[in-house]
Amino acid sequence: MLAIIEKHFPALTERQKEQLSQLEPLYREWNARINVISRRDIDNLYLHHVLHSMAIAKAVQLRPGTRVLDLGTGGGFPGIPLAILFPEAQFRLIDGTGKKIMVAQQVIAATGLTNCEAVHLRGEEERGSYDFVVSRAVMALPDMMKIVRKNIARSQHNALPNGLLVLKGGDVTAEVHAWRNIAEVYDLRQWIDDPWFDGKKLIYLPV
């Protein structure tokens, strides 16, 4: 299934391919002990989790030194695939569930990622400053904004202004209504030609 990643990201280095290929056996092993991914969904790891996470890279190319916070990372999504894709950016993955963070830590160590850390922490407790906050459908956008507004840095490093990049599914009109004049909503199907991505969205909200 790694072919589905290479199809949409053909410029991957051999090191990146190696790291990505390690993800399935690692998550299968850990998922047998700690349920971080639906048991029925583990066979679709690369399509539903890895490629879904990497879709954020279709909207922004992170420059070296960019700092990214993954809020509610669970077992490491979208943070770990993005850290593999952008080895010169820095990623901090946080989640309030200790067991899930332990899995993310083990995957980070096993894949040799040096630009990524996973910490057992709730978003309200995070005090760091970041260019972007990324997340996969953890909570409603207004609630997330209340938590992470404090963490968005003022200095800019990327072509895309600092802000939130949130993966969601379905109709997000109501969620983005308060920011309808500044929010960008991308349909992932424009970038990824697989029917599973029908209705999947990426919301970008500058802060």
Side-chain angles (χ1 to χ4, degrees):
M1 281 300 290
L2 188 56
I4 191 71
I5 306 294
E6 295 184 58
K7 176 181 177 181
H8 292 91
F9 291 90
L12 293 171
T13 66
E14 290 305 312
R15 176 62 174 151
Q16 288 169 324
K17 292 176 187 177
E18 178 189 352
Q19 289 173 313
L20 289 166
S21 70
Q22 291 177 281
L23 296 183
E24 183 171 5
L26 285 167
Y27 278 109
R28 281 191 182 278
E29 177 186 347
W30 281 103
N31 218 49
R33 307 185 217 176
I34 299 167
N35 192 20
V36 291
I37 295 170
S38 163
R39 297 275 198 254
R40 294 172 299 173
D41 212 25
I42 192 69
D43 289 338
N44 297 306
L45 176 75
Y46 285 110
L47 182 67
H48 294 183
H49 299 278
V50 180
L51 185 57
H52 189 215
S53 298
M54 292 169 69
I56 290 174
K58 296 294 186 180
V60 57
Q61 286 292 304
L62 302 177
R63 291 176 179 166
T66 297
R67 287 175 49 79
V68 180
L69 175 69
D70 179 358
L71 177 69
T73 190
F77 300 99
I80 287 175
L82 289 173
I84 292 173
L85 194 58
F86 296 108
E88 294 185 330
Q90 299 296 318
F91 292 82
R92 180 173 168 89
L93 285 51
I94 65 171
D95 199 283
T97 304
K99 289 181 179 179
K100 292 182 177 181
I101 280 295
M102 186 193 71
V103 173
Q105 290 170 339
Q106 294 296 323
V107 173
I108 288 167
T111 53
L113 283 169
T114 58
N115 63 327
C116 187
E117 63 174 350
V119 182
H120 182 204
L121 197 69
R122 294 172 66 244
E124 292 86 348
E125 300 168 315
E126 174 61 52
R127 293 290 176 261
S129 182
Y130 302 89
D131 300 288
F132 294 103
V133 174
V134 299
S135 191
R136 285 180 89 206
V138 169
M139 65 184 74
L141 202 57
D143 297 331
M144 186 180 298
M145 181 60 83
K146 289 177 186 176
I147 293 171
V148 302
R149 185 184 290 275
K150 69 184 185 308
N151 301 114
I152 305 296
R154 293 184 179 275
S155 60
Q156 306 285 336
H157 297 99
N158 295 273
L160 196 70
N162 296 356
L164 271 64
L165 289 158
V166 183
L167 292 160
K168 291 270 186 175
D171 188 352
V172 297
T173 306
E175 262 193 88
V176 301
H177 180 75
W179 302 280
R180 61 192 179 279
N181 294 327
I182 59 171
E184 295 278 354
V185 179
Y186 303 99
D187 187 338
L188 299 190
R189 194 70 158 88
Q190 67 179 306
W191 298 318
I192 302 172
D193 59 351
D194 187 282
W196 185 80
F197 284 87
D198 287 342
K200 301 292 191 298
K201 306 285 197 306
L202 172 63
I203 301 171
Y204 163 62
L205 186 60
V207 177

